[in-house]
Amino acid sequence: MQTIDYIDRRVSQFINEYNDEIEMEIIKYPDHYKVVVSICQEEPPFKDFIEIGMDRRSARRAARKALKGLYLIAYCEEKNHYFF
C-alpha cells in the first residue's frame, strides 16, 4: 500500500450559529487540499456528523465543500426530499 505524505496540517475549533462546536482539520498534500469537518456533541442533544471536502488549489474551497455537506446532513430536516 502506498502512503502519501502531507505537507501541512492544521486543526481548529469554532462555535457556529447553531451553537454547535465544529472541528476543522485542513491537510495540505503535494497536489490537493483535504478538509475534514465534524460536529460531535457529548451532551444532549447528541450529534455526531463528519464530512470531507477536497480541492486541487484551495483550502478555502475544500472547506466550503466540507461545511456545505456537513450543514446538509446536520441541519436539513427534509434532506431526503430535496437533495438525494
Side-chain angles (χ1 to χ4, degrees):
M1 183 171 170
Q2 182 181 2
T3 62
I4 300 174
D5 294 327
Y6 63 88
I7 296 170
D8 188 34
R9 178 180 171 270
R10 294 174 293 179
V11 177
S12 61
Q13 291 95 14
F14 59 91
I15 304 295
N16 70 2
E17 63 271 19
Y18 299 103
N19 208 31
D20 290 328
E21 182 178 349
I22 301 212
E23 182 172 289
M24 178 181 292
E25 178 181 22
I26 301 171
I27 308 165
K28 181 179 179 182
Y29 291 98
D31 61 345
H32 69 284
Y33 289 89
K34 180 178 183 179
V35 176
V36 180
V37 291
S38 63
I39 298 173
C40 185
Q41 300 292 102
E42 295 181 7
E43 297 177 5
F46 297 106
K47 296 178 185 175
D48 194 9
F49 302 102
I50 188 168
E51 192 65 31
I52 298 171
M54 293 192 290
D55 191 83
R56 288 183 170 212
R57 297 184 198 110
S58 169
R60 184 177 180 154
R61 285 195 303 238
R64 283 185 181 182
K65 290 174 186 178
L67 284 169
K68 181 178 179 182
L70 183 73
Y71 275 52
L72 283 175
I73 62 173
Y75 302 117
C76 186
E77 295 175 359
E78 297 184 18
K79 66 181 180 202
N80 292 330
H81 298 288
Y82 299 109
F83 299 107
F84 300 103

